[in-house]
Structures are given as C-alpha cells and as structure tokens.
Amino acid sequence: MAKTTVSVIKADVGSFPGHSRTHPKLLEKAAQMLKEAEGTVITDSFVTHCGDDLELIMTHTKGEDNAEIHELAWNVFMECAKIAKEMKLYGAGQDLLGDAFSGNVKGMGPGVAEMEFEERGSDPILVFMADKTEPGAWNFFLYKMFADPFNTSGLVIDPSMHEGFVFEVHDVIAKRRIYFNTPEDTYSLLAYIGAPSRYVIKGVSKKSGEIAASTSTQRLNMMAGRYVGKDDPVMVVRAQSGFPSVGEVIDPFRTPILVAGWMRGSHHGPFMPVGVCDANCTQFDGPPRVICLGFQVSDCKLIGPADMFDDPAFDRVRDKCCEISDLMRNHGPFEPHRLSLDEMEYTTLPGVEKQLKDRWEPLPE
C-alpha cells in the first residue's frame, strides 16, 4: 500500500476587520475547491482558519513537495484572494509573493508542513495552527513533547521511546541545518533552539528515520524583503505507539510562553491555546493564538476533527495569558514588549529611521 502524506498549507489571503479573522466566503470557496479535487489530486481534506490565516489540511499519496499538491493549494489561495480583493478585505493576497505558480509554494509566501509515513494500526495526528507569531514558536513545545521526561512520561516508562529522538534544526538566517540526537545532545540542542527567531525546529523523527513531527519554517518577511506580517506557522505531530501520547503532545501548551509577533509583527506576547471558535485575534490584534485539531488517519482519510483546546482544562492558561498580556502591554513601546532592534529589521521601523537619518550628528570630542 502506498504511503500516506499529510500536507498542511496556509496563507493569509485577506481578512476582516483588519487582521482579526478569515471571512466565511473564503472558507467556503477553499473547501469547495478541495472537495472537487478529492478522488483525483487528493484523497481527503479539511479547511479551517486561525485568526486571519486560511488553513488547508490535505491527505494524498503523492509524497512531500509534490508539484500537483502545491499547485492545488496555490490555486485555492489565488481564487480566495480574488474574492478578498472584491470585498476589499484587509491584506488581500499579502502572503502570495507572485502571480504564477513555479512548481512549489515554498518561497512564494504560504507556510507548509508535510509528512509522509506508513500508516500504523491506529495513527492519531495533531495539527497545530498559529496566528500572530513566527515559526520558532514551536521550539519550546517540541522540546517538551519529545525530550522532556517531566512532560512526556513515555520517555521514562515506555521502552519503545528510550532511544530518544532526532531534531532537525534550521538556521533561517544563514540557510543551513543541523541534526541533534536526544537525550545525548540535549544541552547542545537547547543552546540553539532557545533563540527561536533564528534557529527553528523543522522536524522530529525516531532514530530509525520514522517521522514524528513536521513544521513550517518559512520566514515571510525575509522572502519578501519587506514587512508583510508575521509568519503564522503550522505543525503536524504524530501520537501514540512509540511517540508521545495525545495528552503528552498537548500538555506543554498549559505553559503560557512569550512568543514574537502580535501587533504589527513587532511585539512579544503570550501564546494562547484556544478552540477554533475563539481563534480570532482582537485584543491589540492578538494575543498570539494557537489551535489544535486532532484526527485519526485511516486509509489516507481524515477521521475528525476533534477541537483539542476546546476544553475547560485550558481555561487557567488562557486566564494567565490575559494577565501576561496586561503586563506586556503596560510596557508600551519599550522592550521587552517591543522586539529587539535586530528583530525589527523587517518591520516598519526602518522607515522611521530613514526619515530621521539626517538629524543625527556626531558626539562632541
């Protein structure tokens, strides 16, 4: 039997009002186009949104980086962008860097997380989607899931997990990658992934090579060379039977860590796990949100979804996120609420510096 591929591809093609949410017409159009492609290009699909990002979840047997799959996603985004422009939605087509498809959406704006695998007797997957943050936001959570025994009891009590996992880390500035084996390379791994604006976990696998997790690492601002918003990453994680359990995968999100993004892609704020119905960024265009949909994969079809954060067990972390939002907002334009200067390079701040460059003068000797 052919291997199953799960492809999650997202883009901000227009939202209302401002950057807060995706219009229902765009969701309807995307779902219609993917449904029409089922049985030919793809096997199954599901469409949702996180904040202002349109999220396409697709299963097929064509493998990763397949041109036909990526072209389908690109065509969906382009058609939805047309509708967004007709309605004068905000940022219509902002994540689409170009007019013509060139064989792969990577480098053209959309975020992509894909994994190909042989289905097990039971194969749960969890699809995480974020808004108002950057790809490195997953670093903390992937470490907790796959390398921290205080989070994942299976690392201690499940013999099939004792050998640990391999982390593929990308340097998104220097365009290079490195692999770390855990537990033996744990301290070296943390030395890098603790700087999530530059070092991003692309994927996690067993030491046998079997894929466990895949993320999007596209840095939209660097591709565009200008401010076009944060990157709003996606992630797919497999669970159970030699991987962390479903509960171990989602438990790290009880910790309200600070991530970069939020208003104008220029501030640190708490990463708030919410149900899909609450994935609308309003308070200071935020705070940054994350949703999680759970599926069983069966013969390349999606059984689900289950809205994993639509659970009162996460109410307390949401309350903490609100408290942290108040604390950070009280900083106003000061760091650490505002990002450091090196991270502001691709925001609108350089425009202010350009206006004032002639007013600077040397200090007296």
Side-chain angles (χ1 to χ4, degrees), residues 303-321:
I303 310 301
D307 192 346
M308 303 305 293
F309 291 142
D310 183 16
D311 180 349
F314 288 91
D315 285 348
R316 292 181 67 181
V317 66
R318 289 189 273 265
D319 289 342
K320 288 180 182 178
C321 285

Side-chain angles (χ1 to χ4, degrees), residues 145-146 152 154-155 158-165 242-245 248:
M145 292 173 203
F146 291 98
T152 300
L155 293 168
D158 184 348
S160 68
M161 296 177 67
H162 267 207
E163 66 174 8
F165 293 89
F243 299 122
S245 70
E248 290 167 339

Side-chain angles (χ1 to χ4, degrees), residues 283-332:
Q283 191 253 325
F284 199 57
D285 278 4
R289 307 293 167 100
V290 54
I291 62 174
C292 175
L293 294 183
F295 299 90
Q296 290 287 144
V297 179
S298 176
D299 296 329
C300 205
K301 292 193 175 182
L302 297 168
I303 310 301
D307 192 346
M308 303 305 293
F309 291 142
D310 183 16
D311 180 349
F314 288 91
D315 285 348
R316 292 181 67 181
V317 66
R318 289 189 273 265
D319 289 342
K320 288 180 182 178
C321 285
C322 290
E323 292 177 13
I324 294 170
S325 292
D326 292 341
L327 171 65
M328 299 303 287
R329 287 295 302 121
N330 287 341
H331 285 73

Side-chain angles (χ1 to χ4, degrees), residues 54-88:
L54 179 60
E55 315 277 357
L56 311 181
I57 303 171
M58 299 171 285
T59 59
H60 53 93
T61 58
K62 300 177 185 296
E64 299 175 22
D65 294 326
N66 179 269
E68 200 174 3
I69 299 299
H70 283 223
E71 184 174 21
L72 171 62
W74 180 261
N75 290 340
V76 169
F77 293 142
M78 292 297 286
E79 288 300 313
C80 289
K82 288 180 185 178
I83 297 173
K85 290 174 182 177
E86 290 171 1
M87 292 192 290
K88 295 186 178 180

